[in-house]
Amino acid sequence: MTAAGWVPAGLVVLAALDGAFAGFRSSCGRTGLIRRRREDIRAHLRGLATAAALLGPVAGLVLADVLARPERWDRYLAAGRVMLLLYLPFGAVVLAALAGYAVLGWRRRFLATALILGPCTFARPYVAAAGVVLAARAGGDLLVTLAAAASVAAACAVEPVLDRWWVATARRRPPDRPTGTASRR
Amino acid sequence: MMISVYELTDLLSTGEPVSRDALVAQLRAGGQRRAARIAARLPVRGGVLVGAEIDALLIRVHCELQRLGEELQLPRRVAEWIVRFRAGRPATPLRVVDVGCGLGYVVRWLAAYEMLGPGVELVGVDLNRALVTRAAELAAAERLRCRFIAGDALAPGVAGNDGVSTVVISSGLLHHLSTAELPAFFAAQRALGVAAFAHWDIDPGPWTTLGARVFHRARMREPVSRHDGVLSARRAHPAGVLLAAARAGAPDYRPACADGPRWWPRLSDVLRPVTGIAP
Ligand SMILES: C[S@@+](CC[C@H](N)C(=O)[O-])C[C@H]1O[C@@H](n2cnc3c(N)ncnc32)[C@H](O)[C@@H]1O
């Protein structure tokens, strides 16, 4: 695949994974149930759908801009490439930790969370923002920078949006499932 | 070690009406400014915290707290210990009582995965009625064979002292007791004639405190959870204190408890038990 292909493809895959994980994180610690496989799958899909809904418009605008002025494609590509160069290793570390979580056995599983997954959740917004700075420098264009910033903002919004969804769901059906947070974060 | 700082959940689940102004003043007086700010935002009616809202908040906090038990594989650790204890007495029926069970995660997990084999009765007890009510609802939702009681688990008769061999467990409970209260806690179990006890709590140290900070920031949403979670790590008793208390309260149970080296992180033993077995 050429750079024109793998840069957008890579970004889409990363955004999809990030959205699915955000959906999962938002669902954790809500219901208190023990067997949650189905609930967890639904949470990942909800995250994926929310990421698509939030990132779709940004991608649409980029596409419209490129169709109208094809000469700008290279700028988007340069910006996307540096974002990918930053996000790919970060994503690889997270995926490696998840693989570790799966194979480590129950006694050592916690290591994956304590050493990598927890700190990565912590670092995620900062890494995302650093991607925008790199994209701004590589793209050298206001519209490209705005597109990078908007896509990062959209990805970071997935979890808070779903958190609000959980609170709203809890308000609608309070007695059934304990969920949601009512106090300010 | 005197406990002069409070976890919000302790102050909120007294069972009595709580004046918000008095709560905020108490926290401020103790230098707990962040806790005071969180308390100042709690819902009130006529100056008194709204009971139903506080119950709902405590349930949310305990739902989040369950994540910590999940990550630390707490129920498996408990199961491993009980299975080992039971290996010497396979035929006798056993009752496992979780003191301060909260939403009963450990008890419900043990019931869901049937780790302890047949002939084991699972009971969760908590002073907080809202929590045990929800624990029972959750157990019913998943058709789990365990039961929950609201009350003081160590009062005679609450979890049944009817001759059934009983193992008393807890998790995250010990740091809610002051050093002065600990011996009586162990003595009460001895007085009930329990077959054994095993109480899991945080192994304190700089690494645990750091880990608690990162974990609660990354994984908890409720300000109360974040506040209390980090404070629990700081309030947790070192093994030496627990051992001394258990030896004072239940000397014939040959108590055991060990901490890891203070400056070297023991990430897979963040929670460790203080245990004792009847003579
Ligand atoms: C921090 S919570 C721990 C909850 C649960 N074990 C967990 O790990 O998530 C401590 C609980 O112990 C309860 N508790 C304290 N002393 C108790 C006693 N003597 N009998 C029953 N419950 C008690 C409190 O009501 C509180 O809900």
Side-chain angles (χ1 to χ4, degrees):
Chain A
M1 217 195 291
T2 62
W6 64 255
V7 169
L11 287 173
V12 166
V13 169
L14 280 182
L17 282 173
D18 185 71
F21 294 155
F24 174 67
R25 281 198 304 276
S26 176
S27 80
C28 283
R30 299 278 184 190
T31 67
L33 294 169
I34 305 282
R35 296 197 191 89
R36 282 205 313 260
R37 188 155 299 186
R38 255 199 241 144
E39 197 183 302
D40 288 348
I41 292 173
R42 271 206 297 273
H44 281 98
L45 293 176
R46 201 180 294 121
L48 194 63
T50 308
L54 292 176
L55 281 156
V58 184
L61 287 177
V62 170
L63 201 65
D65 187 30
V66 170
L67 287 176
R69 296 178 289 176
E71 71 281 3
R72 296 173 47 75
W73 173 239
D74 283 345
R75 288 174 185 258
Y76 282 110
L77 206 57
R81 196 169 150 272
V82 289
M83 286 175 100
L84 202 56
L85 283 178
L86 174 66
Y87 297 158
L88 259 187
F90 186 77
V93 168
V94 170
L95 289 179
L98 287 174
Y101 192 89
V103 301
L104 273 177
W106 69 266
R107 217 179 289 275
R108 292 207 173 70
R109 230 167 231 183
F110 178 62
L111 292 174
T113 306
L115 296 179
I116 300 176
L117 296 173
C120 278
T121 307
F122 207 52
R124 175 176 164 273
Y126 302 104
V127 174
V132 178
V133 175
L134 293 181
R137 289 179 51 182
D141 175 275
L142 182 63
L143 216 57
V144 172
T145 304
L146 284 179
S151 54
V152 161
C156 289
V158 172
E159 195 173 340
V161 163
L162 286 171
D163 284 348
R164 276 163 192 273
W165 177 84
W166 276 103
V167 176
T169 311
R171 291 234 171 86
R172 271 201 314 279
R173 328 173 292 202
D176 189 29
R177 295 270 156 93
T179 172
T181 168
S183 13
R184 276 182 13 216
R185 285 173 67 104
Chain B
M1 181 175 54
M2 268 302 288
I3 299 181
S4 50
V5 285
Y6 296 96
E7 285 181 45
L8 284 160
T9 45
D10 282 344
L11 299 175
L12 293 178
S13 54
T14 55
E16 308 283 323
V18 179
S19 146
R20 185 170 74 182
D21 287 347
L23 177 64
V24 170
Q26 179 185 3
L27 290 165
R28 283 220 187 98
Q32 292 185 260
R33 290 212 307 277
R34 196 159 86 83
R37 278 200 301 276
I38 297 172
R41 296 205 301 260
L42 294 172
V44 276
R45 196 173 298 134
V48 173
L49 297 181
V50 184
E53 300 252 11
I54 297 303
D55 284 350
L57 171 67
L58 288 174
I59 289 174
R60 289 197 302 277
V61 166
H62 277 79
C63 272
E64 293 194 340
L65 190 59
Q66 181 166 321
R67 301 210 55 199
L68 191 59
E70 289 168 1
E71 293 287 4
L72 295 173
Q73 308 287 330
L74 177 63
R76 279 190 206 254
R77 290 168 194 274
V78 173
E80 192 182 42
W81 192 87
I82 297 176
V83 166
R84 212 182 311 132
F85 166 77
R86 211 178 174 224
R89 325 156 170 73
T92 9
L94 188 71
R95 178 182 295 133
V96 175
V97 175
D98 185 354
V99 187
C101 66
L103 290 179
Y105 170 58
V106 171
V107 163
R108 289 184 292 115
W109 192 96
L110 292 173
Y113 294 104
E114 297 176 351
M115 284 276 176
L116 304 181
V120 178
E121 184 193 359
L122 295 164
V123 185
V125 187
D126 201 290
L127 292 167
N128 187 300
R129 185 169 291 277
L131 293 178
V132 275
T133 304
R134 178 49 53 118
E137 286 166 4
L138 287 168
E142 294 189 276
R143 297 204 178 82
L144 304 175
R145 288 163 62 99
C146 50
R147 62 193 175 89
F148 293 94
I149 301 170
D152 178 355
L154 301 181
V158 172
N161 38 354
D162 44 11
V164 176
S165 179
T166 298
V167 173
V168 176
I169 61 163
S170 75
S171 51
L173 172 77
L174 294 175
H175 66 268
H176 290 270
L177 304 174
S178 68
T179 309
E181 289 166 324
L182 283 170
F185 174 76
F186 291 104
Q189 293 162 75
R190 180 170 181 270
L192 288 175
V194 305
F197 58 76
H199 301 285
W200 276 261
D201 206 9
I202 304 160
D203 173 355
W207 292 104
T208 326
T209 306
L210 175 69
R213 264 180 210 288
V214 173
F215 185 88
H216 285 82
R217 198 64 232 153
R219 298 280 183 260
M220 304 287 191
R221 288 171 285 260
E222 289 291 347
V224 171
S225 311
R226 289 180 172 180
H227 172 268
D228 283 11
V230 176
L231 193 53
S232 335
R234 282 177 39 212
R235 288 209 317 175
H237 299 286
V241 170
L242 294 176
L243 261 182
R247 285 187 184 132
D252 43 349
Y253 278 64
R254 284 164 300 152
C257 181
D259 276 348
R262 189 170 158 75
W263 297 106
W264 184 248
R266 277 203 316 172
L267 287 170
S268 34
D269 289 295
V270 177
L271 295 175
R272 45 86 180 107
V274 51
T275 58
I277 297 176

